[in-house]
Amino acid sequence: MGDDNRRYPFIGRLERIENEANELPKHGLGRWLTPLFKDQVSFCQACESRQLDFRPLIKKPPQFKRTFKNSRDNRNIVDNNDLNDLEMKNAVYINDFSFQEAKARKQCSLCMLLVSSLKWIEKAGWLLYMSCVCILRPRYDCAGEKMKIVHRHQVWLGFQPVEKETFFDMIYVNKFGFARKGRCVIPSAIDFKLPRDWLQQCDRKHSHPAIPSALRSRMQAIMDRGLFRVINTSTRSVEIMTSIPKFVALSYVWGTPLPGSPNYQPLKGWPMPSTISDATIIASSIGFKWIWVDRICIDQNSSSEKAILIPYIKDIFATAQLTIVAGCGKIGASSALMGSPRAIRDDENLVKLDSSIALLPVGDTFWSEESVCVWSTRGWTFEEFVFSRRLLFVFPAEIFFLCGSYTFRESVGHHPIIPNKDKVDRDVLGEDHVSDAATVHSKIQRNPAQMSKVLDARTFVTALEDYSSRDLTVEEDRIPAVAGVIIAALTNPIDEISERALLRHGHPLRFFEILLTWVDFSWGRDPSPIPNKPFVPSWSWASSHSRACFTCQLESYIFLEPNVSWFQYSSLHNHDILGLPTEHNLISDIIQLKLPDGLITGQPWMESLSDGLPPDREGRPSISSSVDGLLSLPKLHLITVVFDARFVQWKHPERYRQSWYEHVLISVGSTETSDDIYNRFHDASMMRQWSIHPELEPHYSSQRIGSRPSPFESFAIITGRAYYKKPNELYYNLYIMLLDRIGPDGTYKRVGLAPLVEIKEGSYFIEVIKNGRPRWEYICLV
């Protein structure tokens, strides 16, 4: 925190507390109380007669005293109960509060505050029909190594004997006593002096890396082609740039385009969609002459121009001085940006407790605001977020500013939100939430010149998991919309043809083995309507019908031992991918079957590896001299063990409402059923979900076994790890891919995949593999 004190001297006075409240179940309460904040009314006679004194709520908090035996006991010794006790010393009690009587006094702001809070807490509970005790107490927290008690400038509100509480931000109408003003009242229109000040603070006080030379070179490549256009915020005309200006980029949701909308011709006199128009005004108001908007600055009628620029989207957002995020509305570009001059917000008025203290609902955290807006559910906005250096989020309630160092919000004013790392977990507060996109953004902005190092295996698959859970209007955009993340993960630059080929499957070579282990993880989402996507290979994560998940039970062994991969993947001259067993591959040990020498040396694709380049080099020189030569999808050539087994459906007898099927592998020739296997082992983990698309699932149902070409299916071992769970007892984790043969020459499609976890010599699944005619085989996955 030393750097924080130098850059922001006021932090010492704030005692490093976190001004941003945690995510709480308060959204409904905020909506209930909105009418109260618009009406500034006095207390009713009943409340006046109580002669309530609210001043204890803003007293300096008492310190917690405890004798320590040694210095180690000096940390984390204040818990939630301790803070509760301290808060109760300055609590304000309202006795004999009756919900039924108070709800009739609609002109009393205090009664309405308590009525709305109790109704929200109790819903239709019994406490609504009897007298109770209302308690308002200040909210305290701890900060620093000495665990000093600090005031959070918030008030708990609860009703005895109910345990559940809510809380409010507290504002000091008159400044007296120890405290500063709790938070700012958000005005109906954005005061653009505030975001200008945030930018100036960021420029003066924050140490952000300069734009990397490699990024400037990539931007120069599109400027040399005349493809980098920006909108003049004064004239609203589109101009071609030959050098990088100080510009703003807009990240937004397209929605349905307006009929007859022009693409990138001069826009003066043409009515822009509300989102773009408001963003142009905001950019101009905070001092920027140029703004880049993809819908206007890219020729939407030119498929070749879009294909060229898609890999450069990340570079444009990474070069922009600021990204404006349109987090308002649910109708795409037709939604106004609240707080802009053309879209005034509702006034945020106060509920005064007395002449000095007023309450407001706790403002949503950045994470909660981000998570509920449509913008965060769209696929294209993911990489626009993670590569932007600085972002101005325009949400319906207030604006936030994020840079690589700090977060600012409108309700806090000119000061950044300083996280309090030593705070006590207050039970109902839960934990701080940060989205995966925000985590990836933070990592990239700390070291933008070395993105390939930042995007390690865990970060890369985290990015893909977040991204693949988002929605796309056009399913064919599955890889293009995250092209920037894929390109940024490369350790060496590649030519345009190789780049286009990579973006046909989306698997950088250094993560190839991990990425093959994807499974569908729907989280309740409807699956893609396309079971077989003709625009990506079946083995690519982009062919998943919902969210692609890579972190199954095998993850710790794959991620913790990335240098012991079972296969070495290489790019061929025709941009197909080749996977060969490595010295770490233990499949031969599992099935006691040696890899035949001639299985590799006799293959025609071995010529591609005789060019002297490293096997793992991304983007091997192409046999095609133009992008037009990339007509077919890349294939995966793999030397691995293939075995056969019966693939039998099973439903757990106790999960009557289970909507998915699990399957069990049964040895070829065995007459056992799935229930027989379950009853023999009494272990539901024997059955696996194979993430088969719902439209393909019926092909593998028990009723259709007789109509299959054979009574068994073929499976391939894709990867695995070995480890000792007990001394001298070797265990294996294997990923097994279900294959669908589509040709007589060893050509297959991927249908599903599942992990076989904690198996060992003599275990059931080892016997299934050994009984399934295991063989080293060259297979071609399409």
Side-chain angles (χ1 to χ4, degrees), residues 471-507:
D471 300 321
L472 290 165
T473 302
V474 181
E475 190 66 23
E476 285 84 346
D477 289 341
R478 184 86 151 162
I479 296 178
V482 75
V485 177
I486 296 169
I487 299 300
L490 302 182
T491 55
N492 60 277
I494 58 177
D495 60 80
E496 184 176 337
I497 297 176
S498 298
E499 199 172 86
R500 295 279 193 93
L502 172 61
L503 297 181
R504 301 295 297 276
H505 57 77
H507 287 224

Side-chain angles (χ1 to χ4, degrees), residues 1 15-18 75-78 83 141-148 419-425:
M1 298 299 293
E15 287 133 341
R16 300 178 177 88
I17 62 175
E18 180 186 7
R75 294 189 59 81
N76 300 322
I77 52 87
V78 179
L83 290 177
D141 208 338
C142 292
E145 292 186 1
K146 295 184 178 180
M147 301 300 283
K148 183 178 181 180
N420 172 26
K421 298 179 182 179
D422 296 314
K423 68 182 177 187
V424 178
D425 182 2

Side-chain angles (χ1 to χ4, degrees), residues 69-80:
K69 294 182 180 179
N70 55 59
S71 59
R72 287 191 174 182
D73 292 336
N74 193 24
R75 294 189 59 81
N76 300 322
I77 52 87
V78 179
D79 59 22
N80 184 48

Side-chain angles (χ1 to χ4, degrees), residues 11 16 35 38 57 67 81 98 124 188 203 295 357 379 392 450 491 523 685 754:
I11 290 177
R16 300 178 177 88
K38 294 181 178 180
L57 296 177
T67 302
N81 292 329
S98 169
S188 57
D203 291 335
R295 185 166 173 172
I357 306 171
L392 181 68
Q450 295 182 311
T491 55
W523 287 95
S685 66

Side-chain angles (χ1 to χ4, degrees), residues 718-756:
I718 298 303
T719 187
R721 291 294 185 271
Y723 57 97
Y724 286 97
K725 189 175 180 182
K726 298 179 181 179
N728 302 320
E729 196 167 79
L730 189 63
Y731 284 78
Y732 300 94
N733 285 351
L734 302 178
Y735 265 144
I736 309 299
M737 183 182 288
L738 171 61
L739 305 176
D740 179 20
R741 182 185 291 271
I742 62 173
D745 54 350
T747 302
Y748 297 91
K749 293 179 67 174
R750 179 198 189 277
V751 178
L753 185 138
L756 305 182

Side-chain angles (χ1 to χ4, degrees), residues 51-101:
Q51 297 183 342
L52 298 171
D53 183 4
F54 294 101
R55 288 177 297 177
L57 296 177
I58 59 173
K59 281 185 178 180
K60 186 174 181 178
Q63 295 304 305
F64 189 81
K65 297 181 180 180
R66 180 173 293 178
T67 302
F68 309 114
K69 294 182 180 179
N70 55 59
S71 59
R72 287 191 174 182
D73 292 336
N74 193 24
R75 294 189 59 81
N76 300 322
I77 52 87
V78 179
D79 59 22
N80 184 48
N81 292 329
D82 295 330
L83 290 177
N84 285 339
D85 292 340
L86 294 179
E87 290 166 348
M88 293 304 291
K89 291 181 179 181
N90 287 327
V92 175
Y93 292 83
I94 302 176
N95 297 312
D96 298 325
F97 173 76
S98 169
F99 175 86
Q100 296 297 328
E101 294 178 3

